[in-house]
Amino acid sequence: MVPRKGARRAAGVMSAVCLMLLLGPSAPSGGAPFARPLPFDTAEDVVPDRVGTWNICNPCGGGHDFGRATEIATYAPQVIGLQEACVRDVEQIRRYLEEVYGLVYRVEYGSVLRNWNRCGGLPWRPGGFGQAILSAAPMTDRVSVEYPDGGSEDRGYLAVTTLVGGRPVRVFNTHLAERRQAPVRAGQVKVLAAEVARHDRAIVLGDFNAVPHAPELGPMWALATDPDPGCRPSTATGGTCAATTDWNSKFDYVFLRGISARTHRVRPSPHSDHHALYTDLDRG
């Protein structure tokens, strides 16, 4: 008998080949990704106490959707927050996750922009761009909030209630203003932190565009911790805090409130200039 994990890797390759034949010219460019098996350390199935966050843009566009789906399938988190996400790209990623890897995710969107250049669509009906949350369990009480000041581009947060590790938790996903706009980020963090503070158990995912010791992150550190033990407000850039970007800075966080973590992984990817973060939570 083929081990379950090996079976999923093999099934993924076979499903990908079948999809490639069915889709023909609509298949992703460069057929090599279809033939790539999942890594040896692939999760056997969705991991119920695992959460992740990933800014999937830059390179942007659907040409990387299969690779992004493969990255997510490797660690198969219960919940993952995606930033700089086009609705059509997320739908394609979900399709690959289900049809190629047998992983079924529900989705909620927190689009703050309608952008034809980034996300396609018709000029008078451009695609949605912003945050998305994928969850293996149903999500309820969705709230999508646009910050009063987005800086150079509209920004906001998305929040849902879902199950992680078999227990209900409020999950937030955000993307803050660009790195040179610290005063704008400070105002955004105040809005976000005020909502997070209303919940005894919360997970805050996202690209904060700021290193751990940045003053504007103070309200978040007062409420929650990051699972990377080397990442605290006193951590200087280049210390023991694991970088989450190609330029060796930590900009991406899994903030935990009322929850503790067991493990923490940072996974670089050729499909974005941000690395994917995965955290396994305590099962108690």
Side-chain angles (χ1 to χ4, degrees):
M1 292 183 63
V2 179
R4 185 180 178 192
K5 184 182 294 187
R8 190 159 86 81
R9 289 201 302 266
V13 173
M14 291 304 297
S15 298
V17 172
C18 291
L19 267 180
M20 189 176 179
L21 294 173
L22 289 171
L23 294 174
S26 65
S29 59
F34 274 103
R36 185 179 65 190
L38 290 171
F40 179 76
D41 60 350
T42 296
E44 294 184 10
D45 204 343
V46 170
V47 182
D49 54 4
R50 180 171 294 167
V51 297
T53 185
W54 192 15
N55 182 323
I56 62 173
C57 192
N58 198 17
C60 304
H64 293 263
D65 288 344
F66 184 82
R68 291 167 181 149
T70 301
E71 298 285 356
I72 294 170
T74 298
Y75 284 101
Q78 174 78 6
V79 170
I80 185 167
L82 304 177
Q83 302 88 43
E84 293 202 65
C86 291
V87 169
R88 69 171 186 172
D89 291 344
V90 175
E91 290 304 309
Q92 188 75 302
I93 290 169
R94 289 178 66 221
R95 179 187 177 196
Y96 290 139
L97 284 167
E98 181 172 2
E99 296 184 3
V100 178
Y101 298 115
L103 299 175
V104 179
Y105 284 97
R106 297 159 176 86
V107 64
E108 291 289 355
Y109 293 103
S111 300
V112 292
L113 284 173
R114 297 288 169 182
N115 193 301
W116 181 78
N117 288 329
R118 267 182 170 159
C119 298
L122 300 172
W124 56 91
R125 193 178 179 182
F129 179 80
Q131 287 74 247
I133 294 176
L134 301 184
S135 173
M139 291 175 277
T140 61
D141 303 320
R142 171 192 172 274
V143 173
S144 182
V145 174
E146 184 174 333
Y147 293 124
D149 184 0
S152 56
E153 180 180 86
D154 294 343
R155 298 287 164 92
Y157 73 80
L158 170 66
V160 301
T161 298
T162 189
L163 295 178
V164 178
R167 299 182 61 188
V169 64
R170 194 66 170 164
V171 178
F172 296 81
N173 183 20
T174 193
H175 185 197
L176 300 189
E178 294 180 357
R179 68 180 83 176
R180 294 180 179 87
Q181 299 174 342
V184 177
R185 286 196 302 277
Q188 294 171 348
V189 170
K190 288 180 181 178
V191 172
L192 177 63
E195 183 60 27
V196 173
R198 296 178 59 243
H199 303 273
D200 294 331
R201 284 171 45 84
I203 300 170
V204 186
L205 311 169
D207 174 4
F208 283 72
N209 268 320
V211 293
H213 64 277
E216 63 267 27
L217 294 190
M220 283 306 307
W221 287 117
L223 293 171
T225 59
D226 185 274
D228 185 343
C231 289
R232 297 295 181 265
S234 59
T235 303
T237 303
T240 58
C241 181
T244 66
T245 63
D246 286 353
W247 55 92
N248 297 319
S249 294
K250 178 178 172 67
F251 277 9
D252 306 89
Y253 297 82
V254 176
F255 280 112
L256 302 176
R257 175 170 170 81
I259 306 169
S260 55
R262 291 185 294 113
T263 63
H264 173 263
R265 301 179 184 86
V266 177
R267 180 179 171 87
S269 168
H271 306 293
S272 174
D273 60 354
H274 285 253
H275 309 337
L277 271 69
Y278 294 102
T279 296
D280 291 347
L281 308 180
D282 275 342
R283 295 170 181 169

